[in-house]
């Protein structure tokens, strides 16, 4: 997630995270920070590429670690 507030953003912005393999609390925090940054940039539509079924941790599938805004 960018460290600075949005400036000169493009009509289409992408933020790639390694949330599928990060610890749950870190993954949730990064995803929420990315969403907040995109909202500050003026984004109105959000597309989420969720993880594959084979991505998991000892605590369960990573796919279900984020409940959304």
């Amino acid at each position: 997630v960018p460290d600075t507030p949005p400036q000169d953003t493009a009509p289409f912005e992408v933020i790639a995270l390694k949330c599928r393999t990060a610890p749950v609390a870190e993954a949730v925090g990064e995803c929420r920070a990315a969403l907040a940054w995109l909202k500050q940039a003026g984004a109105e539509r959000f597309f989420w590429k969720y993880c594959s079924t084979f991505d998991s941790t000892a605590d369960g599938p990573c796919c279900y670690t984020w409940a959304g805004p």
Side-chain angles (χ1 to χ4, degrees):
V1 179
D3 294 338
T4 58
Q7 296 177 5
D8 300 321
T9 56
F12 188 88
E13 295 286 336
V14 175
I15 296 177
L17 304 171
K18 293 185 178 184
C19 58
R20 297 184 326 189
T21 56
V24 173
E26 181 180 332
V28 170
E30 286 186 353
C31 291
R32 288 187 174 163
L35 178 63
W37 190 93
L38 290 167
K39 284 182 175 182
Q40 286 180 325
E44 296 176 358
R45 299 173 98 189
F46 306 92
F47 296 90
W48 178 261
K49 192 238 180 250
Y50 52 90
C51 69
S52 302
T53 56
F54 58 83
D55 290 334
S56 62
T57 69
D59 294 327
C62 297
C63 307
Y64 308 106
T65 61
W66 188 55

